[in-house]
Amino acid sequence: MAVTFKSLETILERYPPSPEHLISALQEVQAAFSYIPKEAMTAVCDHLGVPVSRGWAVATFYKSFRLTPRGMHEIKVCLGTACHLKGGARLVEGLERDLGVCRGHTTKDLSFDLDTVNCLGACALAPVVVIDGNYQPTATHRKLKKMLKEMQKA
Amino acid sequence: MAQVSTATRFEDFRLPSAEALAEYRASILAERDPNRTVIIVCHGTGCIANGSPKVAAALRKAIAAAGLGAQVIPEIKTTGCHGFCSRGPLVILQPSGLFYQKVKEADVDDIVQTTLLEGKPVERLLYTDPRTGEPIPHDYEIPFYKYQQRVVLRNIGKIDPLDIRDTIAVGGYQALAKALTAMSPEEVIAAVEAAGLRGRGGAGFLTGRKWRLAVENARKSPGPVYVVGNGDEGDPGAFMDRTLMEGDPHAVLEGMAIGAYALGAHQGFIYVRLEYPLAVRHLTNAIEQARALGLLGENILGTGFNFDIKINRGAGAFVCGEETALIASLEGRVGEPVPRPPYPAEKGLWGRPTIINNVETWANVPQIIEKGADWFASLGVPHSTGTKIFSLVGKVNNVGLVEVPMGITLGRIVDEIGGGVPGQDRFKAVQTGGPSGGCIPYELKDTPVDFDSLTKVGAMMGSGGMIVMDQRDCMVDVARYFLHFLEEESCGKCLPCRLGLKSMLEYLDRFAKGQGSQQDIDDLHSLARAIMKGSLCALGGTAPNPILTTIQYFKDEYLAHVVDHKCPAGVCRDLITYSINPELCNGCGLCARTCPQGCISGEKKKPHTIDASACIRCGMCMDECPVGAVLVA
């Protein structure tokens, strides 16, 4: 979605102009645009009456906020304790090599985001990887590689 | 999943009194035939990931196609997590309790034909006892369930969390009605005190005492009071709160409403972790349905009591599970803790007395009100009353969620309920209490699991994560993993935590490379003690636990790293070498194809070899090898 005055307006009108809504409003901005665009941050802070510096402080403190556009597909590798014991770290390393990006980054062609997550609370499925919201139970590097290839083709 | 459109269905239905709630319940029960078969399909995160929605859809289709008579058409119910996640997707037939595990879409026709039409169990879907090899047909006979005592989890797996009528049918909101009509706020607090309920979120503070503090403070300065449900379950390897919020959201809401009545609060908040979208969905739905029935909102059950709940989603910061950081986050600020006192019970949200309890603590409250403080205090052991939910994960046969009375021994949980360690006769260590808990060795397997005994051995109850480790897990690596986690999650406000964790991690990084000396181990130990004393909040204050307990119980493993430059468990990358056992290798070539370095070679169908000089020890060949020929030493 393009960052337009209109699209921001519809988000902002749901929040009374009070600082406590900063996190919720930014979450909604991110849901709409996939990241926090600069223009949106200014608009949100103006609306809620908080300094823009505080807006950026919040957006950089909390891990879930992104300041750059996301890739088309989102890969999240769980590194919770159970997944760690069952080789989650090796999966991320493998994906880093395959995609040519470090964790927390997006491939140059904006097709994949590679992220890690502390724990998804799905420990029976360890090691678990979530691709575009779908859980891949007891993931192996081979299975993932195959999936990525198919996604690249599509 | 069946969505109940609350807005239309319950609109004219506000329950005007406690009697109306009882009548409504009676009418729901009267509509239900207790003998009708109900097919329960688990829809917890684990089972969903393994395809349970497909199983439920296929069941609906197959039953419709089978042309059963109108009176015998079974109801299909999708419920929250049953806890036995390693066996999912689970399908249970009620009222018989017939238990099917690992059910696939393809098994559905067999279930309809064999079980529904012929009345016989489908043998291959039954759970088999790994010790005796005997199939166990019913859920209540399976050791994993048999040794549990489900108090908080009692409804999960029986009710559809998206339909409030299910909750009301099993007695939901009865305790709220009792509190509002037959008890004074003071009596509610007294009951929670007498029950001895302690916070389930980690610190184990007495809930009743916290409530009383808040009430006293509110009396001193009139104004609003707030209640908060802490569902920011950040510990890796723990999913009790998620299951509770997903599977029985009304228990949390009801507990909070009772607490609000006792404290004179009219507004509550539930802070849910970002990674739990399903929990947010179920809670939102539950709040809407409770509001529609007049169980939340204004003039609840005609008693004049007003209370409503708002959901706040976390934004991905572990420290926000700490109560002062959580308050900052609720106020829309950066989640940095502040020194206590003043405690939130004095000055919390917007400077007002605020009670923050873990969602599991809240879910215990209705039971105490309904069944009485004496009943609750009779569960568990003195000073740690009631039950506790643990998520039993890692190297254990039955991965899942277990609820046991406090005081049960660690060994019984792992061996009897968890079914032991796969392929080994005993565990090496159990890590309790999340990243800042401790590792308890096998030798202490008779330690009772309660707040005080766990603290005594250097671990802690925490929120209830229980991670089982076996001989292939390196204790230095485990300590390093937790330290790395905490170092990243440290908010950076106070120096002991910000720099201390970093420097402890540097020690461990060096140990993992085989560097360092015995003196370094002692230095690390004293640094850890200093950080414990000096940190502002519990994150830094408990962060050294994994290091202290692993040094205490597994010092020889540390020495093996720094003195012998060996990692006995074969984990620490700089201290291991991979090789291929020529006797086992069948020359399939999978390892050679997967090796990112291209350093495995060999002829087809002949044993392969690894060029150790080029190997980066990524371990991919070992993961890939179908015959287990890749060795690590």
Side-chain angles (χ1 to χ4, degrees):
Chain A
M1 204 194 294
V3 188
T4 59
F5 185 68
K6 188 102 192 119
S7 54
L8 274 172
E9 192 88 315
T10 44
I11 293 175
L12 291 178
E13 67 193 13
R14 281 199 283 274
Y15 294 96
S18 156
E20 78 219 50
H21 302 295
L22 182 58
I23 294 173
S24 311
L26 288 179
Q27 281 172 335
E28 235 177 282
V29 167
Q30 177 151 312
F33 303 112
S34 92
Y35 73 112
I36 314 272
K38 218 163 127 190
E39 304 84 340
M41 176 63 90
T42 318
V44 167
C45 290
D46 278 355
H47 175 75
L48 299 177
V50 297
V52 181
S53 63
R54 207 181 114 189
W56 289 116
V58 162
T60 49
F61 179 84
Y62 292 101
K63 266 197 191 153
S64 66
F65 293 118
R66 301 269 310 216
L67 307 180
T68 47
R70 270 181 196 280
M72 217 164 58
H73 300 291
E74 188 187 42
I75 307 173
K76 277 194 206 164
V77 184
C78 181
L79 289 183
T81 320
C83 291
H84 173 78
L85 296 181
K86 295 194 176 171
R90 289 206 289 274
L91 290 179
V92 202
E93 284 166 13
L95 289 171
E96 283 177 335
R97 274 194 295 266
D98 292 347
L99 296 172
V101 284
C102 290
R103 56 196 81 181
H105 290 269
T106 308
T107 51
K108 268 203 185 124
D109 59 356
L110 289 185
S111 55
F112 291 101
D113 264 349
L114 180 61
D115 268 316
T116 59
V117 52
N118 281 340
C119 181
L120 292 160
C123 309
L125 314 175
V128 58
V129 175
V130 182
I131 299 181
D132 292 334
N134 297 316
Y135 287 67
Q136 309 299 328
T138 47
T140 61
H141 183 242
R142 185 148 40 130
K143 272 198 262 179
L144 294 174
K145 214 168 165 180
K146 217 168 128 195
M147 285 190 70
L148 295 192
K149 260 199 192 135
E150 272 161 28
M151 285 159 79
Q152 262 159 343
K153 261 189 240 158
Chain B
M1 204 176 288
Q3 288 282 347
V4 180
S5 57
T6 53
T8 50
R9 184 171 293 183
F10 297 122
E11 201 160 36
D12 309 318
F13 230 103
R14 273 186 78 87
L15 298 166
S17 64
E19 292 78 39
L21 172 65
E23 279 166 28
Y24 183 47
R25 181 182 180 206
S27 75
I28 295 170
L29 290 173
E31 268 176 30
R32 299 187 173 185
D33 174 3
N35 296 318
R36 181 182 176 193
T37 303
V38 180
I39 304 178
I40 290 169
V41 185
C42 178
H43 270 47
T45 299
C47 283
I48 289 179
N50 277 324
S52 68
K54 280 188 201 150
V55 172
L59 269 169
R60 285 200 181 92
K61 224 167 114 192
I63 287 169
L68 296 161
Q71 68 282 12
V72 289
I73 291 181
E75 182 188 349
I76 293 173
K77 193 174 282 213
T78 53
T79 68
C81 175
H82 295 224
F84 206 176
C85 305
S86 49
R87 297 286 166 170
L90 307 177
V91 173
I92 298 170
L93 276 81
Q94 294 296 7
S96 67
L98 196 58
F99 180 91
Y100 290 148
Q101 53 149 26
K102 299 194 173 176
V103 180
K104 299 260 163 344
E105 247 178 307
D107 300 320
V108 162
D109 289 335
D110 222 4
I111 295 178
V112 172
Q113 184 61 36
T114 314
T115 308
L116 294 180
L117 293 174
E118 295 167 26
K120 288 185 296 199
V122 183
E123 298 282 344
R124 69 189 151 85
L125 296 176
L126 295 177
Y127 173 79
T128 319
D129 191 323
R131 290 191 185 110
T132 60
E134 291 289 311
I136 304 178
H138 301 110
D139 54 355
Y140 49 85
E141 299 160 335
I142 295 172
F144 177 77
Y145 290 114
K146 198 163 79 181
Y147 298 113
Q148 292 192 43
Q149 185 170 9
R150 294 198 154 198
V151 172
V152 178
L153 295 177
R154 74 197 182 289
N155 293 331
I156 298 183
K158 296 196 177 80
I159 58 166
D160 179 348
L162 292 171
D163 187 349
I164 193 171
R165 290 169 306 173
D166 264 22
T167 300
I168 290 176
V170 295
Y173 293 100
Q174 297 293 324
L176 176 64
K178 182 179 171 186
L180 291 181
T181 57
M183 293 170 86
S184 67
E186 169 56 36
E187 282 169 336
V188 173
I189 298 178
V192 174
E193 277 179 327
L197 176 64
R198 291 172 70 167
R200 280 2 185 192
F205 194 78
L206 282 163
T207 307
R209 191 180 296 166
K210 205 192 237 182
W211 290 17
R212 189 164 295 287
L213 262 172
V215 168
E216 281 165 6
N217 286 308
R219 230 174 259 144
K220 275 184 239 158
S221 67
V225 180
Y226 301 101
V227 292
V228 178
N230 185 349
D232 190 41
E233 184 172 54
D235 289 0
F239 54 104
M240 299 75 51
D241 297 350
R242 175 175 68 72
T243 301
L244 196 53
M245 293 186 283
E246 284 176 10
D248 195 2
H250 290 287
V252 179
L253 305 184
E254 188 184 0
M256 287 180 69
I258 293 169
Y261 169 69
L263 300 158
H266 302 300
Q267 181 64 53
F269 299 88
I270 304 180
Y271 191 88
V272 187
R273 188 165 174 247
L274 174 79
E275 284 81 359
Y276 294 170
L278 197 61
V280 171
R281 240 183 2 253
H282 287 194
L283 280 169
T284 310
N285 178 80
I287 290 173
E288 279 168 15
Q289 295 191 354
R291 254 186 223 146
L293 280 176
L295 295 164
L296 280 180
E298 299 210 340
N299 195 15
I300 293 172
L301 292 173
T303 58
F305 171 61
N306 307 329
F307 177 64
D308 213 336
I309 295 176
K310 185 175 171 273
I311 295 173
N312 279 61
R313 283 179 303 151
F318 175 72
V319 73
C320 285
E322 199 276 343
E323 52 183 13
T324 59
L326 191 152
I327 287 172
S329 186
L330 280 179
E331 291 176 358
R333 291 185 285 121
V334 163
E336 284 176 349
V338 291
R340 299 176 303 175
Y343 289 91
E346 298 163 58
K347 273 197 167 107
L349 205 52
W350 296 294
R352 298 294 310 162
T354 303
I355 284 300
I356 302 177
N357 282 132
N358 179 269
V359 291
E360 190 187 335
T361 317
W362 285 121
N364 270 295
V365 171
Q367 306 252 6
I368 293 173
I369 298 302
E370 203 182 327
K371 298 183 183 156
D374 293 340
W375 165 81
F376 190 86
S378 73
L379 302 172
V381 289
H383 306 297
S384 289
T385 53
T387 56
K388 177 79 191 85
I389 313 174
F390 292 98
S391 67
L392 191 59
V393 304
K395 309 285 178 69
V396 59
N397 278 313
N398 302 334
V399 172
L401 216 56
V402 302
E403 183 175 354
V404 287
M406 298 256 198
I408 186 174
T409 64
L410 202 59
R412 281 194 62 195
I413 296 181
V414 176
D415 290 333
E416 287 178 15
I417 299 175
V421 180
Q424 289 175 24
D425 56 349
R426 55 183 242 183
F427 61 86
K428 176 174 181 179
V430 175
Q431 206 274 349
T432 68
S436 41
C439 289
I440 304 171
Y442 178 79
E443 290 69 34
L444 293 176
K445 69 177 169 42
D446 293 326
T447 308
V449 176
D450 61 60
F451 286 103
D452 307 318
S453 308
L454 288 180
T455 312
K456 222 179 276 167
V457 296
M460 63 182 201
M461 178 76 86
S463 58
M466 204 168 257
I467 295 135
V468 183
M469 297 171 192
D470 68 6
Q471 301 304 330
R472 308 265 323 141
D473 296 318
C474 167
M475 289 298 129
V476 176
D477 178 69
V478 164
R480 190 165 153 244
Y481 164 79
F482 286 124
L483 241 287
H484 179 74
F485 174 92
L486 292 165
E487 191 250 350
E488 265 199 3
E489 291 295 341
S490 169
C491 77
K493 185 171 179 176
C494 74
L495 183 132
C497 180
R498 183 179 68 237
L499 291 182
L501 301 195
K502 204 173 184 58
S503 111
M504 288 203 294
L505 185 59
E506 279 165 10
Y507 273 103
L508 291 174
D509 282 343
R510 283 176 39 228
F511 295 168
K513 289 194 181 115
Q515 301 162 354
S517 63
Q518 288 196 48
Q519 181 61 40
D520 285 334
I521 300 176
D522 297 337
D523 290 350
L524 174 61
H525 195 271
S526 69
L527 176 62
R529 301 214 65 89
I531 291 166
M532 256 177 147
K533 288 209 175 99
S535 295
L536 175 64
C537 81
L539 193 155
T542 55
N545 280 342
I547 293 183
L548 290 174
T549 50
T550 47
I551 293 183
Q552 183 181 352
Y553 298 120
F554 299 96
K555 191 158 186 188
D556 50 340
E557 225 167 294
Y558 276 84
L559 291 174
H561 282 74
V562 301
V563 178
D564 307 331
H565 314 295
K566 288 234 150 54
C567 176
V571 175
C572 295
R573 212 164 262 186
D574 292 285
L575 306 177
I576 53 173
T577 43
Y578 283 96
S579 58
I580 294 173
N581 181 344
E583 277 162 31
L584 287 176
C585 179
N586 59 10
C588 70
L590 271 177
C591 55
R593 257 174 278 151
T594 194
C595 177
Q597 290 290 90
C599 67
I600 302 179
S601 54
E603 275 175 58
K604 239 184 190 173
K605 309 229 163 133
K606 296 238 169 87
H608 283 45
T609 49
I610 299 176
D611 174 7
S613 64
C615 177
I616 55 169
R617 303 173 197 99
C618 66
M620 296 237 181
C621 49
M622 196 164 154
D623 286 344
E624 202 69 22
C625 181
V627 293
V630 178
L631 306 174
V632 59

